[in-house]
Amino acid sequence: MARPASMTSMRSRPRLPRATVLVVAVVVMKLGSYCPTRGAYVPPTAAELVPKSPEMMERVKQVKDRGDRLLSAAEAAAMVDDGAMLIDVRTCKQVHTMTDNKIPAKAIIDPVDDWIKNKAPTNAIKYAAEFGRKVIVSCTAGPKSTLAWEFLQEKGIDAYVIDGGFKAWEEAELPVQECKFPASDLK
């Protein structure tokens, strides 16, 4: 019985030896295209978004080792003066309770919690990045903004983190602004 043409062509096609495939996999791993300790990006869990939680601090420790985008408060202020977008990634309630309604001057509040929930940064961030503006993120002391930085990096956005967050900004005696929130935003 004659075999269909499709079956004979499959058998006559040369196959790579298994050893070759293994060598290619090892080379790819050595070159850094694949990192088994890092793996694919996984958004922060609800527990990892709770300020100062053990889960947040463990994730931040892992993320910080990968980043070279830490800025002093003074460096961040200079970048903002040069056109960078400054985002406070805390919720309104966190700004209210952690820093008495204060955020760095010229910052906008855009909670990273919303980005995670919607699986994308807000349009303002996307447009800023499309037009070449750098994005600087801040929170109270740095951990939450480090997670925001990780999220933005995953989306291909040129982002930076203020080392020490709002506390470092205030210690550097840089200008702050006081926010007023509707009661509904503080629940």
Side-chain angles (χ1 to χ4, degrees):
M1 174 178 208
R3 291 194 171 166
S6 62
M7 286 184 77
T8 52
S9 66
M10 282 177 52
R11 293 210 174 205
S12 63
R13 199 177 310 155
R15 297 180 123 199
L16 290 174
R18 287 184 187 195
T20 305
V21 173
L22 182 59
V23 168
V24 169
V26 168
V27 168
V28 167
M29 287 173 58
K30 292 283 186 192
L31 292 176
S33 297
Y34 171 77
C35 179
T37 57
R38 181 172 155 197
Y41 175 76
V42 177
T45 63
E48 289 171 331
L49 290 173
V50 174
K52 299 181 185 174
S53 70
E55 296 87 354
M56 174 185 266
M57 300 314 290
E58 180 58 34
R59 176 139 184 178
V60 165
K61 188 168 66 171
Q62 293 170 9
V63 172
K64 259 192 168 177
D65 291 342
R66 293 197 325 255
D68 61 347
R69 298 300 180 110
L70 286 175
L71 300 173
S72 70
E75 291 170 321
M79 285 176 69
V80 170
D81 288 342
D82 289 340
M85 176 184 242
L86 178 57
I87 301 170
D88 194 308
V89 297
R90 299 173 290 168
T91 63
C92 296
K93 184 176 181 180
Q94 290 168 341
V95 171
H96 176 72
T97 58
M98 296 175 166
T99 55
D100 296 323
N101 298 325
K102 294 178 192 158
I103 62 173
K106 300 182 183 177
I108 62 169
I109 297 173
D110 194 355
V112 68
D113 306 61
D114 294 344
W115 312 348
I116 303 299
K117 183 174 79 178
N118 298 325
K119 298 182 175 139
T122 57
N123 286 336
I125 295 169
K126 288 188 261 184
Y127 294 142
E130 285 176 20
F131 287 98
R133 286 181 74 187
K134 292 176 175 27
V135 175
I136 303 169
V137 290
S138 179
C139 62
T140 303
K144 191 165 198 167
S145 52
T146 301
L147 298 182
W149 170 84
E150 176 193 31
F151 183 89
L152 294 173
Q153 288 293 303
E154 181 63 26
K155 302 295 181 188
I157 295 171
D158 189 17
Y160 299 81
V161 179
I162 298 176
D163 192 15
F166 178 78
K167 288 181 179 180
W169 185 275
E170 202 169 40
E171 285 173 13
E173 298 180 0
L174 293 164
V176 299
Q177 60 187 357
E178 192 164 336
C179 302
K180 295 189 187 224
F181 303 109
S184 61
D185 285 350
L186 301 176
K187 292 182 180 178

